[in-house]
Amino acid sequence: MSLEDRIKENTQALNELREVIKQALAMTPPAMIPAPATAPAPVAEPAAKEPEIKNEAPAPEPKPVDLKALRISLAPKIKTLYSKDMNLGKRLLDKFGVKNLSALSDDQLPGFAQEIDRALQGD
């Protein structure tokens, strides 16, 4: 590989990093917005049956993910990953088929967050 090719690769990587940093700096921290309260659905009770006693504890309901806050929290993580190992950051974005954080779809965010946490922990 020639010196010109390496310079071209490094220039491209720096431009991509600059774009990620610019996007991260343009983001604002999430405002503390309380989750909307939902009214429980009315339950129809059977008239002739006795209530059943269950020994099992009810399964906890999954908490909804605040995608905006998750996206904002990923910006410093991707910066840290890029400063730690630029190629690893690039490979992680490539794995999700995107060039930068803002191109991730809402469906991809939780998986990307798990992957970036693993990468930062050194797995």
Side-chain angles (χ1 to χ4, degrees), residues 23-58:
Q23 290 174 1
L25 292 175
M27 294 180 180
T28 57
M32 296 304 285
I33 301 172
T38 58
V43 178
E45 295 183 26
K49 294 184 180 180
E50 292 183 24
E52 295 179 16
I53 299 174
K54 295 183 179 181
N55 292 334
E56 299 176 12

Side-chain angles (χ1 to χ4, degrees), residues 48-88:
K49 294 184 180 180
E50 292 183 24
E52 295 179 16
I53 299 174
K54 295 183 179 181
N55 292 334
E56 299 176 12
E61 294 182 25
K63 295 181 180 178
V65 177
D66 183 359
L67 296 174
K68 184 176 180 182
L70 180 59
R71 188 176 299 274
I72 291 169
S73 73
L74 289 175
K77 291 180 181 182
I78 193 89
K79 281 186 199 178
T80 303
L81 185 62
Y82 262 86
S83 64
K84 187 175 177 182
D85 183 355
M86 186 177 292
N87 289 329
L88 181 59

Side-chain angles (χ1 to χ4, degrees), residues 84-119:
K84 187 175 177 182
D85 183 355
M86 186 177 292
N87 289 329
L88 181 59
K90 176 97 171 90
R91 285 194 311 265
L92 184 60
L93 288 169
D94 287 344
K95 181 177 179 181
F96 285 83
V98 295
K99 296 231 183 238
N100 53 42
L101 184 62
S102 63
L104 284 168
S105 70
D106 289 346
D107 295 338
Q108 292 175 310
L109 282 176
F112 185 80
Q114 289 176 348
E115 291 292 324
I116 201 166
D117 286 340
R118 276 193 214 125

Side-chain angles (χ1 to χ4, degrees), residues 6-24:
R6 288 183 184 243
I7 291 172
K8 184 177 178 181
E9 284 181 5
N10 285 339
T11 302
Q12 182 181 4
L14 284 173
N15 288 336
E16 290 173 3
L17 180 59
R18 184 181 311 133
E19 178 64 28
V20 169
I21 291 171
K22 187 181 353 173
Q23 290 174 1

